[in-house]
C-alpha cells in the first residue's frame, strides 16, 4: 500500500473513531491523561500495521484493541488491598481483584460487574480526604512507593503510611457489601 494512501486511511480513521474511542475509554480509567495514553497506544498500533486494507472491520478491530489496552493498564496496576475480598467458586478461589482484571471477553455480565466494582471503588476513593486518597492512589494505582510519595510531598514516611492505612480501612468497610454479595 502506498504511504500516501496509508496516511489518508489513518487520518480518516482517527477523525471517524477518535471521539468515540475516547468516550469508550474515559469511564474505564481514573483520569483523562490515562485515557489519552491508551488512545495513543491504540493509534500507534493501528499505524504500525503494514497493510491496513487487510482489516475487515476497522471499528471492531479498534474497539477490541482498545479494550485490551485498558485491561493491560489495569493488570499493571497494584490493587493488592482488594485481595482480602475472596469468595469460593466451584473452580477455586477468586478475589474482587481477579474479577476487575479479568479479560473483558469473558462476557457482558463480567464486564458489567467489573464496571460496577470500579465505579464503587472510585466512589469510595472520592469520599476520602484528599491526602489519604492521594497516598492510596499514588501507591496502589500509580505504582509509586510510599517513600517516593513521602519525598514528593515533603512528608515523613510514617505520615504517608498512616494516610494509606486510613484509606485502606475506609475502602475495606465501603467495599464490604461487594464481598458479602460475592459470598451470597
Amino acid at each position: 500500500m502506498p504511504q500516501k494512501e496509508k496516511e489518508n486511511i489513518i487520518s480518516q480513521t482517527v477523525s471517524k473513531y477518535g471521539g468515540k474511542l475516547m468516550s469508550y475509554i474515559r469511564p474505564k480509567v481514573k483520569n483523562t491523561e490515562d485515557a489519552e495514553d491508551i488512545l495513543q497506544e491504540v493509534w500507534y498500533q493501528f499505524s504500525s500495521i503494514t497493510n491496513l486494507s487487510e482489516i475487515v472491520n476497522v471499528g471492531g478491530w479498534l474497539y477490541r484493541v482498545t479494550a485490551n489496552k485498558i485491561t493491560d493498564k489495569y493488570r499493571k496496576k497494584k490493587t493488592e488491598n482488594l485481595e482480602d475480598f475472596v469468595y469460593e467458586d466451584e473452580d477455586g478461589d477468586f478475589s474482587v481483584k481477579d474479577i476487575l482484571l479479568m479479560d473483558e471477553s469473558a462476557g457482558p455480565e463480567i464486564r458489567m460487574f467489573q464496571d460496577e466494582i470500579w465505579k464503587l471503588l472510585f466512589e469510595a476513593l472520592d469520599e476520602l480526604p484528599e491526602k489519604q486518597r492521594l497516598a492510596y492512589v499514588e501507591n496502589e494505582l500509580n505504582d509509586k512507593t510510599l517513600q517516593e510519595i513521602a519525598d514528593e510531598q515533603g512528608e515523613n514516611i510514617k505520615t504517608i503510611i498512616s494516610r494509606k492505612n486510613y484509606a485502606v480501612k475506609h475502602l475495606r468497610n465501603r467495599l464490604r457489601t461487594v464481598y458479602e454479595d460475592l459470598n451470597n
Side-chain angles (χ1 to χ4, degrees):
M1 168 180 291
Q3 184 64 26
K4 186 74 172 163
E5 184 179 344
K6 182 177 179 178
E7 290 172 5
N8 189 31
I9 290 172
I10 292 170
S11 176
Q12 289 175 353
T13 304
V14 169
S15 294
K16 182 175 180 179
Y17 291 99
K20 294 175 187 176
L21 289 174
M22 183 56 83
S23 295
Y24 175 74
I25 298 167
R26 187 60 191 103
K28 294 172 174 44
V29 298
K30 66 181 181 69
N31 60 44
T32 304
E33 292 79 21
D34 286 347
E36 290 170 350
D37 289 347
I38 289 169
L39 187 57
Q40 184 66 31
E41 290 174 23
V42 171
W43 293 133
Y44 177 76
Q45 187 169 341
F46 182 70
S47 67
S48 298
I49 296 173
T50 307
N51 194 354
L52 293 174
S53 61
E54 291 178 0
I55 300 175
V56 177
N57 180 349
V58 173
W61 185 92
L62 287 169
Y63 278 96
R64 174 55 29 214
V65 169
T66 302
N68 290 342
K69 295 288 182 191
I70 293 167
T71 301
D72 291 347
K73 183 148 193 81
Y74 284 119
R75 283 190 177 140
K76 291 177 187 173
K77 304 285 183 195
K78 285 196 274 182
T79 55
E80 60 198 347
N81 289 323
L82 296 176
E83 299 262 31
D84 295 334
F85 300 102
V86 177
Y87 73 97
E88 282 285 319
D89 192 357
E90 61 270 4
D91 298 327
D93 289 344
F94 286 92
S95 68
V96 171
K97 177 183 174 185
D98 293 332
I99 293 168
L100 287 174
L101 302 180
M102 194 175 287
D103 185 359
E104 287 187 10
S105 65
E109 296 86 13
I110 293 293
R111 192 167 39 252
M112 186 178 76
F113 193 60
Q114 286 172 320
D115 290 345
E116 184 63 23
I117 293 173
W118 281 113
K119 180 180 151 222
L120 291 171
L121 175 64
F122 285 117
E123 284 175 2
L125 284 170
D126 286 341
E127 295 169 357
L128 289 168
E130 177 66 27
K131 291 181 178 184
Q132 289 176 18
R133 178 176 56 246
L134 185 60
Y136 182 87
V137 169
E138 290 293 299
N139 181 243
E140 294 297 328
L141 302 179
N142 293 336
D143 293 329
K144 289 185 180 178
T145 66
L146 295 173
Q147 186 61 58
E148 288 173 329
I149 298 166
D151 292 344
E152 287 174 3
Q153 296 180 10
E155 296 278 2
N156 184 309
I157 183 72
K158 291 181 181 181
T159 301
I160 300 303
I161 291 169
S162 177
R163 288 176 184 164
K164 184 181 174 204
N165 284 336
Y166 283 119
V168 168
K169 287 177 185 175
H170 173 75
L171 293 174
R172 283 184 180 152
N173 287 333
R174 187 69 158 64
L175 297 175
R176 176 78 44 210
T177 56
V178 173
Y179 173 73
E180 290 167 358
D181 287 347
L182 287 173
N183 278 326
N184 296 327

